[in-house]
Amino acid sequence: MATITDPMILRQIIMDHYEHPRNRHLSDEQGYLSVRKDSESCIDDITMQVKFNGDNIEDIRFDGEACTISSASTSILTELVKGKSIEEATNIITNYKNMIYELPYDEELLEEAIAFQNVHKQANRIKCATIGFDALEDIIKEYKGGQ
């Protein structure tokens, strides 16, 4: 996949995931680990649920009130990591955050998350763009700590 630099395409990806978020509904089923994250600087207040099957992310969901950037980035994240191993998901998180903080990253791993490549230019939006990724990191730490 070539680097997408067209701002209109990047905006379309973000708006598509904001208007039609994937995996945006919580489950009442048992077996999900859950974490709530909110932001003091934005309306973001999301709950993420993850169901693990051994070392794999079997299912991931989120819900709550969130701005466009937070909703879209979390929606993309859920698509990126569903069905992946914890190691693969952690690698995606690391590369995404490297992109956000202008460090070297593997754009191939990020797929549509590449739409947030310019967030660093708006420092006040970094928290919005990373809140879902932070939530998944917390859930992975909790899961690994409980094994």
Side-chain angles (χ1 to χ4, degrees), residues 24-75:
R24 188 169 188 161
H25 55 283
L26 298 178
S27 174
D28 293 331
E29 289 178 40
Q30 291 191 350
Y32 283 87
L33 291 180
S34 178
V35 70
R36 181 174 166 235
K37 288 281 192 190
D38 62 356
S39 173
E40 59 285 339
S41 61
C42 191
I43 64 166
D44 299 339
D45 186 350
I46 66 164
T47 298
M48 179 175 283
Q49 293 180 317
V50 178
K51 187 175 196 176
F52 293 95
N53 182 356
D55 203 30
N56 290 316
I57 296 173
E58 182 177 311
D59 193 21
I60 181 168
R61 303 158 180 250
F62 77 104
D63 206 356
E65 188 168 355
C67 71
T68 302
I69 299 294
S70 178
S71 294
S73 63
T74 303
S75 172

Side-chain angles (χ1 to χ4, degrees), residues 115-130:
F116 299 95
Q117 64 189 277
N118 294 317
V119 165
H120 64 87
K121 295 177 182 176
Q122 300 174 337
N124 61 324
R125 303 307 294 211
I126 290 174
K127 175 76 173 168
C128 305
T130 58

Side-chain angles (χ1 to χ4, degrees), residues 67-86:
C67 71
T68 302
I69 299 294
S70 178
S71 294
S73 63
T74 303
S75 172
I76 290 170
L77 170 65
T78 64
E79 288 201 308
L80 281 173
V81 302
K82 189 183 274 191
K84 299 263 191 331
S85 71
I86 291 172

Side-chain angles (χ1 to χ4, degrees), residues 89-109:
T90 301
N91 194 25
I92 288 167
I93 293 167
T94 299
N95 276 275
Y96 179 80
K97 287 187 173 185
N98 283 354
M99 176 186 72
I100 296 294
Y101 293 108
E102 299 183 271
L103 299 169
Y105 65 95
D106 182 352
E107 67 184 58
E108 293 293 319
L109 288 176

